[in-house]
Amino acid sequence: MDTEELTLPLSRRANERLHAMIPGGAHTYAKGDDQYPDNLAPVISHGSGAHVWDVDGNRYIEYGSGLRSVSLGHAHPRVVEAVRRELDRGSNFVRPSILEVEAAERFLATVPTADMVKFAKNGSDATTAAVRLARAATGRTRVALCADHPFFSVDDWFIGTTPMSAGIPAATNELTLTFPYGDLAATEELLARYPDDIACLVLEPATHSDPPPGYLAGLRELADRYGCVLVFDEMITGFRWSEAGAQGLYGVVPDLSTFGKALGNGFAVSALAGRRELMELGGLRHSGDRVFLLSTTHGAETHSLAAAMAVLTTYVEEGVTARLHALGERLAAGVREAAATMGVGDHVVVRGRASNLVFATLDEKGQPSQEYRTLFLRRLLAGGVLAPSFVVSSALDDADIDRTVDVVAEACAVYRKALDAGDPTPWLAGRPVKPVFRRSA
């Protein structure tokens, strides 16, 4: 089908209903219809494996499923069965469920670099708890986070550093500092400038490329020397880099780390894990001031913990991380070949670890372009590929990858026409897609 055939009337109406009742029309900004071409934002009816169907009945091969959370594919049988076993046994009680200790044991066996774990519902709560714990342990107030990583929390200590800082007091913003990824000298200079003020260093251990040699070990040494807490945000790297996360792959142990996304295969569960002497500050078996670490009504409801246990078992027993890498390598090679064949190899660029691929859309001058991203997304959608990224799930098969590459080739042919014309506007059919973090709507 071509773009003109993809009109999505029911999705358009559903989007209007969403905006009428839900600010932004979605519960996650990255899922907003402003992230998709004008009038081409599918509203999903259901999913199975690597495919989703919109309310208009169109089927898509899906990438980046659930913002990287559904790494095994939608309605994975092993996860669904684990959850189903708990459905008639109750979900939340006045005392801990036995599943809480079983899930903790399973997690710590999979991520052996941590001594203790506490579960929550979303990554923001877990990462903010790590910051609070670091401040309590060190008696310091400032937080240093990596400026090159896009997201850490919905809470003020991070959102105040973004263009969407409305409503956050300046005094809060002043307590958050930033450092560049991969630059140990710059980080040490920051720590030396605030030698007794920085409670923690917060970063993703890796993103689009492996860390420079010695970088993570260097951060570990700096944190020890300056007496601050090293926090790894493993929301994305957890399980996708290795079953034990990036810390397991690179062999550098943080003081605290946070996990989510892939942990529940779409079910709401996250985790804060780390060294016993730090984690116990949020417990009952110490003599110091109590830290309100994580205490949420639904943090350990049984269905999500059952899902997490099934996910952890599946990753270990079925070698899921290796499969994600193999699928990603096949996809990346195909997309790069298609782009090069169509003469846009320098403009449609695949980046990232094979298990976590993203793509860049560059204009005539080699600069990132929202207009060309819009053109590219329109053509992917027209070909039945829903791909805000090229992040794979293990439910994809070779036929899905081959079909995706064919659609990418068709999109690249149009991309070449737009480059030759020097203007992508005729192929946009409306406003361009927009970045999530921007000052005004």
Side-chain angles (χ1 to χ4, degrees):
M1 59 184 168
D2 63 25
T3 308
E4 284 66 37
E5 293 174 348
L6 192 64
T7 55
L8 306 185
L10 297 181
S11 288
R12 290 175 67 177
R13 273 180 251 160
N15 275 312
E16 287 304 311
R17 291 165 61 198
L18 285 163
H19 279 283
M21 295 176 287
I22 300 166
H27 284 88
T28 312
Y29 284 120
K31 296 183 182 182
D33 58 4
D34 60 336
Q35 303 299 294
Y36 291 83
D38 218 6
N39 297 319
L40 282 185
V43 174
I44 304 303
S45 164
H46 63 286
S48 178
H51 300 93
V52 295
W53 286 258
D54 66 24
V55 293
D56 291 280
N58 299 298
R59 187 182 80 156
Y60 305 88
I61 304 169
E62 187 197 38
Y63 293 88
S65 317
L67 304 182
R68 295 178 173 85
S69 67
V70 186
S71 60
L72 301 179
H74 299 290
H76 187 275
R78 199 164 183 174
V79 177
V80 170
E81 179 55 33
V83 173
R84 184 176 287 121
R85 284 197 300 268
E86 298 301 322
L87 285 177
D88 62 354
R89 292 167 52 84
S91 61
N92 211 333
F93 313 104
V94 76
R95 279 281 294 149
S97 161
I98 190 63
L99 273 184
E100 295 182 41
V101 69
E102 292 173 350
E105 288 170 345
R106 188 76 53 86
F107 180 93
L108 294 171
T110 309
V111 186
T113 41
D115 300 321
M116 301 185 81
V117 63
K118 196 156 190 182
F119 296 109
K121 281 297 173 206
N122 61 72
S124 291
D125 285 351
T127 306
T128 291
V131 169
R132 184 183 305 118
L133 191 56
R135 282 171 161 162
T138 62
R140 301 174 180 181
T141 58
R142 294 186 188 272
V143 176
L145 57 85
C146 184
D148 299 312
H149 297 161
F151 189 81
F152 290 108
S153 175
V154 301
D155 293 298
D156 289 2
W157 65 270
F158 169 71
I159 292 296
T161 69
T162 76
M164 295 177 69
S165 59
I168 298 173
T172 298
N173 294 342
E174 291 167 1
L175 295 177
T176 300
L177 308 169
T178 61
F179 61 91
Y181 187 79
D183 189 337
L184 286 174
T187 305
E188 182 169 10
E189 191 278 330
L190 181 69
L191 289 166
R193 196 186 324 153
Y194 301 94
D196 300 312
D197 290 342
I198 296 177
C200 55
L201 301 174
V202 184
L203 74 156
E204 295 180 68
T207 51
H208 300 322
S209 59
D210 287 329
Y215 175 62
L216 295 180
L219 281 181
R220 174 71 276 170
E221 190 276 329
L222 284 175
D224 291 339
R225 181 154 33 109
Y226 284 89
C228 59
V229 175
L230 182 60
V231 180
F232 282 177
D233 179 333
E234 295 241 35
M235 293 295 155
I236 292 174
T237 55
F239 314 113
R240 282 190 179 273
W241 261 240
S242 81
E243 285 80 5
Q247 58 196 276
L249 179 65
Y250 301 123
V252 175
V253 181
D255 298 301
L256 299 170
S257 53
T258 57
F259 292 79
K261 292 191 182 291
L263 180 58
N265 202 54
F267 283 86
V269 59
S270 63
L272 168 64
R275 290 196 292 116
R276 181 174 302 277
E277 55 266 40
L278 286 174
M279 295 289 286
E280 277 284 21
L281 296 178
L284 301 175
R285 297 185 175 183
H286 67 93
S287 58
D289 291 343
R290 295 187 68 193
V291 178
F292 195 94
L293 187 56
L294 280 168
S295 181
T296 56
T297 299
H298 302 292
E301 56 87 14
T302 58
H303 305 136
S304 291
L305 292 185
M309 292 172 68
V311 168
L312 292 166
T313 301
T314 302
Y315 261 82
V316 172
E317 293 183 358
E318 298 183 11
V320 171
T321 303
R323 175 167 174 76
L324 293 175
H325 282 90
L327 288 165
E329 287 166 1
R330 182 185 178 99
L331 176 63
V335 170
R336 287 172 180 143
E337 181 180 0
T341 300
M342 295 299 169
V344 296
D346 294 331
H347 301 274
V348 176
V349 181
V350 179
R351 296 172 176 162
R353 193 171 186 83
S355 60
N356 189 55
L357 296 172
V358 297
F359 58 82
T361 50
L362 310 180
D363 64 15
E364 300 89 343
K365 299 178 181 179
Q367 297 301 307
S369 168
Q370 294 296 103
E371 288 77 13
Y372 278 99
R373 178 175 174 84
T374 307
L375 176 157
F376 192 61
L377 289 175
R378 286 190 71 85
R379 301 312 306 179
L380 294 184
L381 286 164
V385 176
L386 180 59
S389 70
F390 281 144
V391 176
V392 297
S393 75
S394 66
L396 291 159
D397 59 25
D398 289 349
D400 293 322
I401 300 293
D402 293 345
R403 172 59 185 161
T404 300
V405 171
D406 288 343
V407 173
V408 167
E410 296 167 3
C412 288
V414 178
Y415 206 114
R416 183 67 258 173
K417 292 180 183 178
L419 287 171
D420 291 341
D423 180 12
T425 305
W427 289 273
L428 300 189
R431 53 112 183 106
V433 299
K434 300 178 181 181
V436 169
F437 287 113
R438 57 187 192 272
R439 182 70 62 183
S440 59

